[in-house]
Amino acid sequence: MSPFIKLEPPPLVEEDNEIARRINEILQEFHTGLAYGEKVSVNLNLLIQECDEVMTFETEKAYPHYVKAFALAMEEAYTDALRECDEAINLDPQNAYPHYVKAVIFYLMDFKKFKKEAISECRTAVNLERENALFHFTLAEMYSHGSSKREILNALTEYVNATNLDPGNLHYHLKRAEYLEKQGLIDRAIEEYKVMINLNPRDLNFQSRLRSS
């Protein structure tokens, strides 16, 4: 198993104004693509421009900073994205999303070098928003790189949290099953494959994985 963490888009903006609606229109393309498993092709520069426009007259708003951070990170402009995350956190310390973005950026930049920072930011996101399955799953994927008993236990715990919070997410169940199998916990892995078969009985790949476990 080779964990790979992707950056997920922010929630839609709750502001009711023209620029917010334009930002949401772009973000909606990302969310729609995720829902249908499609590759999304949008104008990230336009998203950045829309966020910059908000910042010119709404200096105390956090959302244009973390939305811009997302767009910059998608463009692999990681240093600039981290700066926008810090601006968002300064303006809204209780918002979990910019911490999540920072965690994923550290992971994508160089996880071996920034492992401590990545896990710390993701743990902060989890603590701020404990019902968010994505944050738990991302933290599990980060811990799954480690080999210490503590890291293994933390990974197993966070995979459980993620699947409990989003029980219909096949990807979460699959990654949990693969990790259980890697750790030699075959009986528990088999149970996860059974869950996936129940969720999607027509997927012969899951049945094949179950037979080979």
Side-chain angles (χ1 to χ4, degrees), residues 35-94:
Y36 291 96
E38 299 173 353
K39 185 176 181 180
V40 178
S41 178
V42 299
N43 190 336
L44 290 168
N45 287 330
L46 179 59
L47 184 57
I48 291 169
Q49 291 169 18
E50 298 288 6
C51 291
D52 285 338
E53 186 171 346
V54 176
M55 293 175 197
T56 60
F57 59 88
E58 292 282 8
T59 58
E60 299 302 313
K61 298 287 186 182
Y63 81 80
H65 291 284
Y66 64 72
V67 173
K68 183 178 179 180
F70 163 75
L72 289 168
M74 293 292 289
E75 294 277 29
E76 299 185 7
Y78 295 136
T79 301
D80 292 338
L82 287 172
R83 183 174 61 250
E84 294 299 333
C85 286
D86 288 336
E87 288 289 343
I89 291 168
N90 288 335
L91 290 167
D92 186 4
Q94 298 305 306

